[in-house]
Amino acid sequence: MTDPSFSTGSDPDPNPDVSTDVSIGGNVQDSEAALVAQVHEAQAAGRALRIQGTGSKAFYGNSCPAEAVLDCTGHRGVVAYEPSELAITARAGTSLLEIEHLLAEQSQQFPFEPPHFGDGTGSDDIGGGTLGGLVATGLSGPSRPYTGSVRDAVLGVRLLNGRGEVLHFGGQVMKNVAGYDLSRLMAGALGVLGVLLEVSLKVIPTPPATLTLVHECSLEAALQQLRRWARRPLPITASAWYQGRLMIRLSGSDEALAESHRLLGGTPLDVAESAWRVLRDQRHAFFLGDAPLWRLSVSPATPADALPGAEDQLIEWGGALRWLTGDQDVAQLRALAQAAGGHATLFRPGRGPMPADGVFNPLEPVVKRLHQQLKSAFDPQGILNPRRLYPDL
Amino acid sequence: MPRIPDERPLNPQPDIIAALSAVLPAGTVLSSAAELAPYECDGLTAFRQRPMVVALPECIEQVQQVLRLCHDARVPVVVRGAGTGLSGGALPLADGVLVSLAKFNRILAVDPDSLSARVQPGVRNLAISEAAAPYGLYYAPDPSSQIACTIGGNVAENSGGVHCLKYGLTVHNILKLKLLTIEGELFEVGREALDAPGLDLLALLTGSEGMLAVIVEITVKLLPKPERAQVLLAAFADVETAGAAVAGIIAAGITPAGLEMMDNPAIRAAEDFVQAGYPVEAEAVLICELDGFNAEVSFEVMRVRELLLSAGATEVRTAADEAERLLFWKGRKAAFPAVGRLSPDYYCMDGTIPRRELPRVLRRIAELAADYSLRVANVFHAGDGNLHPLILYDANHPGELERAEELGGAILELCVAVGGTVTGEHGVGVEKLNQMCVQFNTTELEQMHRVKAAFDPHGLLNPGKAVPTLHRCAEFGAMHVHHGELKFPELPRF
Ligand SMILES: Cc1cc2nc3c(=O)[nH]c(=O)nc-3n(C[C@H](O)[C@H](O)[C@H](O)COP(=O)(O)OP(=O)(O)OC[C@H]3O[C@@H](n4cnc5c(N)ncnc54)[C@H](O)[C@@H]3O)c2cc1C
């Protein structure tokens, strides 16, 4: 069956020709030294820097007023990749697409299914930006509840802090509790603590097969169904609901998929791969247009009617992620998301206004103070991506 | 190795005992020598120190009061869960208050709809899975100490277990924490949702060894119990081949629930102790558990069997039933006490290395052990490269403890040299402060000290643990690097 509600949206060629040359260029030392020098200069001049990859996620977060750009795209290349270690280390400017191709050659992938948001130029390129941008935004795709987040996969970082110091935390091994976990802290920090130079991430084997099943049901029925399934050890690796259709992806051996299909019922979807990609990259019709897009991250147990516009939402992550478009009463929406155990983010402001306190849920006073103190611990002059995470940080 | 973990000048303020007694219920402030004795060490018994006083608060408000008093009087605080830590993280300070969270032992809620449980920090790890069992759920991280250790201690150490190869460490299995700053202010990090706004303080606080804040409530993630678990036991004629088989299984795209290895001394000790039917002639055994959806497990058991045989296993057994599965595990689980029967004392190390280095590192550990004239048994989490060499020694023989500690230090430095870390799951505590100087440079350590100061400006929470002072590293470096020679110059550095 082809599913109209999930295949609306364009899906350009997912495998454009990219070079997977992992040889280390002769200018690596130079490209790192250049970034260090720019931070030193900015420090001396007391000038703020806007850290940038390809700009594919420039829409996300608050806007940083700094005029000077610290361009990380020149610092690229895979540093280490040994498939049996289930880990890859690459420089922050390396393109996500290039890394994913390299992993695919070894039948491996990132556990968190990173979205590809294009390069911001409106071209057909769905390169998805750089590794640094991926980790700094910490945005994960459809598999997140089942195989973990970007943060979960971070094993180590090489970091340039606001004092111009190059620091290495964590490593390439799976278990490491030596000192504070400053590498996972960088995931989602939007560059306010430091410039990512290199990141080591955990990878997982690509499952031998996948099967996507569609059920027709209301949102409340879908949420209940997802909760029931979550309590059983099923090989579910993605789930979404939109306009009366619940779609789940199963991954594993053919035997396991056949058995799960028998247990769960539903109609197999034959354009599944592209449907999940369109959803992951927000090229589905739901996400298009210039209406404000709200991301509600809540407890999966939240009933449909606890949040506004229920039947118009698009649901992911087994009910833990609910997308809503249109103008909203910001204070009320945040309060409802908070009551549902989570938080509300204005993901894309579109034509709507920017909330004065920023696109992210404001922090409680103690947590806010800890943010400010941590910021000074890494970037005492506040020169790295000021205001990007919070307008007063 | 110096037995004094902390280089601070002592600043005893006995007045704090009366102040604590005034705010805490009768019987919850302990200060006589006999009362203090049980708290003088954790699982790292070579280090002992009695605290000035022990406080046993019963509710969050009481912990707040204790912290405010200590903060105002600048008295250092060490928090203690069950005291099973193996790196001296809960070692008291002579002029400090030891806050035991033993009375925070209630499971506040189990919610099968959101697959989570809200618990107090003193709840035992296993008690969570027991409370979740009626719903077919469990809490995945399973340190071998799980009948005794507390979830608060697990979060503070980011503890792992046999099943963390597939299910992750503590940090991957918690959703939300309630904590107190040293000033006694309550705050929350994480959410009931899968992420939270702002910096990922949940990740930073997990594994922070009681240095940044006091954990007073934890919301953990629960998982559905696997439909089926199956275990294979494979014997090998040498340790290197077994190490290579581990990499082979992972490279084939299989993620076992657990993949453990024991070497010959450990196999023999375990077999003598519990008669699990282990092949005592083997130089190494691998225990590989596969779990999950029934159809998937059947498929993977077949593949792993083939992989083990083609990797050179001399024998592969598949547990015929649940009784045999438990028997295969019994030897592994009893390995530490079994090794304990071989020797009056043993010292458990905890380095992690890249899997591909297993054969070389195991060989080098054997050589080092011979250099120090000590025996080493290896029982460890091979799947994630987390080594637990057990160094056998007799503290009654003068100099043996010191030799054991030196050998341990050399093993950890070997782990760093091959691209690994000095601690995979037991934490730094007071034990691995010197090795932290090997793994991190001065700038990195200074950054960690600044992070500590961001939470605890006066350095009152567990001072002297986890991150060495630069002064200590300078001294350690001076006595350690002879004539500017690096350790293990034959190994590539990365
Ligand atoms: C036989 C044995 C087997 C073990 N097996 C494993 C294993 O397989 N995997 C593994 O990872 N570990 C293992 N351990 C180590 C130990 O059990 C873990 O580190 C455990 O998490 C410690 O928990 P605890 O409650 O005993 O903490 P404690 O030892 O009391 O404290 C540990 C640290 O946490 C801090 N702390 C405790 N509670 C809090 C709190 N509420 N807030 C802030 N800080 C706090 C303390 O200050 C201290 O620094 C083993 C130990 C033994 C003795």
Side-chain angles (χ1 to χ4, degrees):
Chain A
M1 146 176 177
T2 55
D3 182 337
S5 73
F6 275 110
S7 40
T8 21
S10 64
D11 186 22
D13 178 7
N15 296 313
D17 240 8
V18 285
S19 142
T20 51
D21 179 13
V22 299
S23 65
I24 296 170
N27 59 352
V28 169
Q29 299 292 337
D30 299 351
S31 61
E32 178 172 307
L35 293 172
V36 174
Q38 287 176 73
V39 170
H40 278 146
E41 277 164 35
Q43 220 189 342
R47 187 180 58 225
L49 292 171
R50 187 150 47 89
I51 310 166
Q52 196 173 290
T54 59
S56 72
K57 289 175 274 289
F59 66 86
Y60 179 67
N62 298 298
S63 67
C64 165
E67 278 171 16
V69 169
L70 187 73
D71 179 357
C72 299
T73 52
H75 192 52
R76 53 185 298 135
V78 173
V79 178
Y81 175 42
E82 188 104 22
S84 73
E85 298 298 326
L86 297 182
I88 188 164
T89 303
R91 295 190 191 88
T94 317
S95 114
L96 170 59
L97 196 59
E98 180 179 328
I99 297 176
E100 287 186 327
H101 276 270
L102 192 65
L103 296 177
E105 281 169 17
Q106 303 294 330
S107 302
Q108 294 190 339
Q109 61 187 32
F110 283 129
F112 45 80
E113 208 175 354
H116 292 214
F117 285 131
D119 64 359
T121 63
S123 84
D124 250 6
D125 183 329
I126 51 156
T130 62
L131 181 66
L134 178 163
V135 175
T137 54
L139 295 171
S140 309
S143 66
R144 189 298 163 225
Y146 312 100
T147 46
S149 62
V150 176
R151 184 288 295 274
D152 289 341
V154 170
L155 300 175
V157 298
R158 191 171 162 89
L159 183 79
L160 170 57
N161 68 12
R163 306 156 65 100
E165 296 165 338
V166 175
L167 311 163
H168 186 247
F169 298 111
Q172 296 174 33
V173 291
M174 297 298 138
K175 291 166 88 176
N176 188 350
V177 293
Y180 305 122
D181 192 344
L182 300 184
S183 36
R184 287 199 178 92
L185 178 64
M186 298 305 143
L190 283 174
V192 303
L193 301 180
V195 184
L196 293 166
L197 295 172
E198 277 174 30
V199 186
S200 298
L201 288 166
K202 183 187 151 148
V203 300
I204 55 171
T206 302
T210 62
L211 171 69
T212 294
L213 299 172
V214 177
H215 289 256
E216 310 230 353
C217 55
S218 71
L219 175 55
E220 190 50 49
L223 291 171
Q224 284 177 18
Q225 187 64 274
L226 286 166
R227 286 202 289 273
R228 269 195 300 275
W229 287 336
R231 287 175 60 173
R232 301 173 58 184
L234 297 163
I236 300 180
T237 58
S239 53
W241 178 93
Y242 182 58
Q243 289 189 343
R245 281 162 194 270
L246 172 63
M247 167 162 113
I248 52 161
R249 182 179 64 199
L250 302 148
S251 305
S253 62
D254 290 331
E255 294 83 345
L257 297 185
E259 175 70 7
S260 336
H261 188 189
R262 203 182 53 75
L263 284 170
L264 304 183
T267 317
L269 180 70
D270 54 19
V271 293
E273 210 181 312
S274 115
W276 289 111
R277 209 162 39 227
V278 162
L279 189 68
R280 179 196 75 184
D281 300 347
Q282 298 195 341
R283 283 176 288 109
H284 183 278
F286 172 86
F287 295 102
L288 306 178
D290 63 353
L293 173 65
W294 284 90
R295 177 188 190 273
L296 310 178
S297 176
V298 295
S299 161
T302 309
D305 60 11
L307 296 165
E311 294 292 326
D312 299 327
Q313 294 171 8
L314 188 146
I315 309 295
E316 291 189 82
W317 293 8
L321 190 60
R322 307 188 187 190
W323 298 96
L324 187 61
T325 58
D327 297 311
Q328 304 292 334
D329 176 337
V330 175
Q332 194 200 352
L333 191 63
R334 282 177 177 161
L336 290 171
Q338 225 153 318
H343 59 109
T345 303
L346 180 54
F347 197 76
R348 291 184 199 256
R351 62 172 146 72
M354 286 288 261
D357 46 7
V359 299
F360 300 112
N361 219 94
L363 303 170
E364 297 298 313
V366 177
V367 175
K368 181 170 167 177
R369 192 189 76 218
L370 293 173
H371 272 65
Q372 283 158 345
Q373 285 168 188
L374 271 174
K375 170 76 172 166
S376 347
F378 283 88
D379 176 21
Q381 286 174 263
I383 56 171
L384 299 178
N385 272 2
R387 310 179 65 128
R388 183 82 199 259
L389 189 58
Y390 281 99
D392 49 6
L393 196 71
Chain B
M1 197 190 275
R3 283 291 176 289
I4 301 140
D6 182 10
E7 302 142 75
R8 294 172 316 121
L10 285 187
N11 177 25
Q13 297 188 58
D15 292 354
I16 198 84
I17 301 175
L20 289 172
S21 304
V23 299
L24 294 180
T28 63
V29 178
L30 315 177
S31 60
S32 75
E35 288 171 324
L36 297 178
Y39 298 93
E40 69 181 9
C41 68
D42 61 9
L44 181 72
T45 51
F47 289 77
R48 287 171 196 269
Q49 173 63 61
R50 285 195 190 166
M52 179 170 64
V53 54
V54 172
L56 289 150
E58 293 169 345
C59 61
I60 292 180
E61 292 69 28
Q62 290 175 9
V63 184
Q64 282 178 303
Q65 283 177 310
V66 171
L67 292 173
R68 281 187 204 124
L69 285 173
C70 291
H71 178 256
D72 293 347
R74 302 286 187 261
V75 172
V77 177
V78 177
V79 182
R80 181 181 171 105
T84 68
L86 291 173
S87 55
L91 184 73
L93 299 168
D95 59 346
V97 175
L98 186 86
V99 176
S100 163
L101 294 178
K103 298 194 181 219
F104 282 75
N105 60 359
R106 281 191 307 130
I107 293 181
L108 303 170
V110 176
D111 180 8
D113 279 337
S114 62
L115 295 182
S116 66
R118 205 157 52 81
V119 304
Q120 292 187 325
V123 168
R124 289 172 307 111
N125 172 297
L126 190 61
I128 303 176
S129 290
E130 285 166 356
Y135 306 96
L137 304 173
Y138 77 115
Y139 174 65
D142 56 344
S144 312
S145 51
Q146 71 180 150
I147 46 168
C149 65
T150 68
I151 185 70
N154 293 172
V155 175
E157 300 284 11
N158 191 16
S159 297
V162 165
H163 291 92
C164 64
L165 176 59
K166 181 166 177 183
Y167 297 105
L169 305 159
T170 304
V171 69
H172 301 115
N173 288 280
I174 54 177
L175 293 167
K176 180 175 160 181
L177 300 175
K178 267 191 196 167
L179 309 104
L180 296 173
T181 63
I182 180 65
E183 290 92 349
E185 299 159 300
L186 188 66
F187 69 104
E188 292 183 2
V189 300
R191 291 286 189 279
E192 276 93 39
L194 290 174
D195 46 35
L199 297 171
D200 202 330
L201 300 186
L202 186 74
L204 173 60
L205 286 157
T206 306
S208 63
E209 300 196 26
M211 305 272 293
L212 303 181
V214 180
I215 304 155
V216 292
E217 192 181 296
I218 300 126
T219 303
V220 301
K221 210 192 286 184
L222 301 175
L223 294 180
K225 278 196 205 158
E227 205 167 65
R228 181 174 155 213
Q230 180 59 277
V231 174
L232 295 102
L233 179 83
F236 290 85
D238 61 88
V239 171
E240 280 92 343
T241 314
V246 169
I249 291 173
I250 304 292
I254 291 168
T255 309
L259 184 52
E260 301 282 306
M261 181 159 155
M262 295 167 70
D263 69 1
N264 183 271
I267 298 168
R268 285 182 185 273
E271 186 56 25
D272 276 355
F273 191 35
V274 299
Q275 291 88 44
Y278 283 180
V280 291
E281 298 304 319
E283 280 304 313
V285 296
L286 286 180
I287 300 169
C288 180
E289 177 152 297
L290 300 157
D291 76 4
F293 197 53
N294 191 13
E296 196 67 65
V297 174
S298 308
F299 171 75
E300 289 187 339
V301 165
M302 270 171 10
R303 289 203 56 205
V304 170
R305 201 186 151 75
E306 286 162 18
L307 283 162
L308 288 166
L309 287 169
S310 65
T314 52
E315 181 192 355
V316 180
R317 295 185 213 159
T318 308
D321 51 25
E322 186 62 9
E324 196 174 8
R325 183 180 85 87
L326 295 176
L327 192 62
F328 285 0
W329 273 119
K330 194 173 173 192
R332 164 63 184 91
K333 292 199 168 160
F336 283 26
V339 169
R341 300 187 339 147
L342 298 182
S343 161
D345 301 287
Y346 69 85
Y347 184 34
C348 173
M349 310 308 299
D350 173 44
T352 304
I353 56 167
R355 273 178 287 259
R356 64 173 176 276
E357 299 288 348
L358 274 175
R360 188 156 66 126
V361 167
L362 292 172
R363 201 179 327 123
R364 185 73 188 123
I365 289 176
E367 289 165 13
L368 284 168
D371 290 350
Y372 285 87
S373 313
L374 289 168
R375 288 180 297 163
V376 173
N378 284 292
V379 188
F380 62 97
H381 312 303
D384 31 37
N386 187 193
L387 304 176
H388 286 323
L390 301 174
I391 303 172
L392 312 186
Y393 70 96
D394 183 346
N396 290 327
H397 289 175
E400 260 198 32
L401 168 61
E402 288 70 20
R403 275 215 321 282
E405 285 179 334
E406 268 181 49
L407 170 57
I411 291 174
L412 294 184
E413 287 156 36
L414 171 65
C415 293
V416 176
V418 301
T421 175
V422 299
T423 173
E425 58 180 14
H426 295 165
V428 174
V430 295
E431 183 203 21
K432 301 175 198 90
L433 284 168
N434 287 342
Q435 281 68 39
M436 285 289 284
C437 308
V438 179
Q439 188 163 336
F440 295 99
N441 66 29
T442 308
T443 335
E444 289 155 354
L445 294 172
E446 276 182 316
Q447 182 66 72
M448 290 190 205
H449 286 299
R450 281 197 295 269
V451 167
K452 160 92 172 148
F455 283 83
D456 175 20
H458 301 288
L460 296 172
L461 276 174
N462 219 2
K465 314 277 177 69
V467 186
T469 60
L470 302 184
H471 174 72
R472 182 188 184 114
C473 288
E475 284 196 344
F476 176 70
M479 71 176 209
H480 209 63
V481 180
H482 302 286
H483 316 297
E485 282 170 12
L486 275 171
K487 288 224 132 194
F488 312 109
E490 75 278 16
L491 297 173
R493 319 244 145 193
F494 38 124

